[in-house]
Amino acid sequence: MSLRKGQKVTVKGGRKSITCELTDIDHRTNKIWIRLPTNQVLLMGWDAKQEAYTASLAGLDFSVDPKDN
Amino acid sequence: MISHTDAMVDIETIATSNNAAIITIAAVRFDALNADKDMQELELLIDVDNVIDVWKLDVDPGTIDWWGRQSKEAQYAAFEKGPRITLDKALSKLAKFVGGATRLWCQGMNFDPVILDNAYRAVGQPSPWMYYNWRDSRTLMSFFKDLPKKSGTAHNAVDDAVWQAEMVQTCLKRLNVEYLR
């Protein structure tokens, strides 16, 4: 199932899952932007090995797996 | 001029570790033994990116998730309301505001004072208090089971600080305390 702008997504950070808003998606570069509850926007790039969008913040790894969303 | 003898301090963070990133700081100057005097309030809203990227303080996904489940009002005060300032500026302003207070109060000794001391250390500023200045309002409030319910927004630092200061005054009055060291 493909991700779409404005939908709620589950972001995994460490052992926790955080519900965030997907604020934008660029299919050409395969990047997504998600808004954390802290109002920060996180740019996530596609990681083919993990088959998930990933980014790091404050030394923590965050990921969005399209299969979970 | 701030003449009150007491200061209540309350912070909101995005982690619960000793080096947690602070996002809001509230302080209230008040007189613990005199509820008739007006309180003076300070609210410091901190730039979240500054705390994380510049000062490298801790972020905890569990706490971020917890914030996502709080009221819209609490989230607005914690993350959207402005203007936001850098952590070092906020700590300087807090130091000025609490300067001269004989007693500093917090709701539990192992959270706010510890995190604030570590934040002062991180930005290279001295803590504006000595460890013996701190008093614990949570312990004082635990003596009574019928204290008034908190008004205002839960987890809004200013609302929390004001309510905690009022409860300190209430508790001390009920205990007939006339002198406080």
Side-chain angles (χ1 to χ4, degrees):
Chain A
M1 190 178 169
S2 63
L3 298 172
R4 63 192 186 285
K5 189 175 168 180
Q7 82 171 85
K8 298 285 182 194
V9 290
T10 301
V11 180
K12 286 179 185 161
R15 282 174 293 174
K16 291 282 178 182
S17 294
I18 310 167
T19 303
C20 302
E21 182 195 352
L22 195 157
T23 59
D24 212 346
I25 185 161
D26 185 339
H27 296 289
R28 189 176 59 82
T29 57
N30 219 1
K31 291 184 189 305
I32 61 169
W33 286 259
I34 60 116
R35 188 184 298 281
L36 295 170
T38 55
N39 215 30
Q40 290 170 292
V41 175
L42 204 55
L43 168 61
M44 308 182 91
W46 179 252
D47 183 324
K49 199 173 173 183
Q50 291 188 50
E51 295 190 332
Y53 293 93
T54 61
S56 64
L57 176 73
L60 296 166
D61 294 325
F62 291 85
S63 65
V64 170
D65 186 338
K67 292 192 292 294
D68 296 341
N69 293 281
Chain B
M1 183 181 160
I2 300 168
S3 58
H4 291 300
T5 50
D6 297 82
M8 174 66 73
V9 180
D10 191 85
I11 61 173
E12 300 297 338
T13 63
I14 45 175
T16 54
S17 62
N18 290 347
N19 286 306
I22 301 169
I23 47 170
T24 53
I25 302 173
V28 175
R29 289 296 294 261
F30 69 111
D31 189 332
L33 298 177
N34 186 352
D36 295 332
K37 287 189 195 171
D38 286 341
M39 294 184 186
Q40 291 165 289
E41 298 173 13
L42 174 75
E43 181 180 42
L44 300 164
L45 306 167
I46 299 163
D47 184 300
V48 181
D49 290 333
N50 172 263
V51 181
I52 296 170
D53 298 336
V54 177
W55 304 112
K56 312 289 183 195
L57 293 175
D58 292 353
V59 174
D60 169 34
T63 310
I64 292 177
D65 179 52
W66 180 86
W67 273 111
R69 288 182 274 110
Q70 301 312 303
S71 68
K72 290 288 172 208
E73 292 80 7
Q75 289 183 30
Y76 171 78
F79 303 111
E80 292 176 51
K81 190 178 172 187
R84 319 293 296 194
I85 59 174
T86 58
L87 178 66
D88 53 328
K89 278 188 185 165
L91 293 173
S92 293
K93 284 174 183 276
L94 177 66
K96 203 171 174 186
F97 186 80
V98 301
T102 312
R103 291 169 295 271
L104 286 130
W105 297 83
C106 59
Q107 189 77 336
M109 293 297 290
N110 58 354
F111 192 77
D112 308 62
V114 176
I115 292 171
L116 281 166
D117 276 334
N118 284 328
Y120 274 105
R121 199 170 297 124
V123 303
Q125 295 175 23
S127 298
W129 45 66
M130 298 299 289
Y131 65 91
Y132 51 75
N133 292 129
W134 285 101
R135 305 288 185 274
D136 180 15
S137 54
R138 191 182 294 277
T139 303
L140 188 60
M141 288 163 65
S142 70
F143 298 155
F144 302 95
K145 62 178 178 183
D146 58 344
L147 290 173
K149 289 263 188 294
K150 183 182 172 292
S151 56
T153 303
H155 309 299
N156 173 307
V158 174
D159 288 352
D160 285 354
V162 168
W163 181 74
Q164 287 157 204
E166 288 171 352
M167 290 308 101
V168 166
Q169 291 171 328
T170 301
C171 293
L172 293 174
K173 193 175 181 185
R174 286 193 191 181
L175 291 167
N176 293 317
V177 174
E178 292 178 349
Y179 169 78
L180 207 53
R181 216 162 14 128

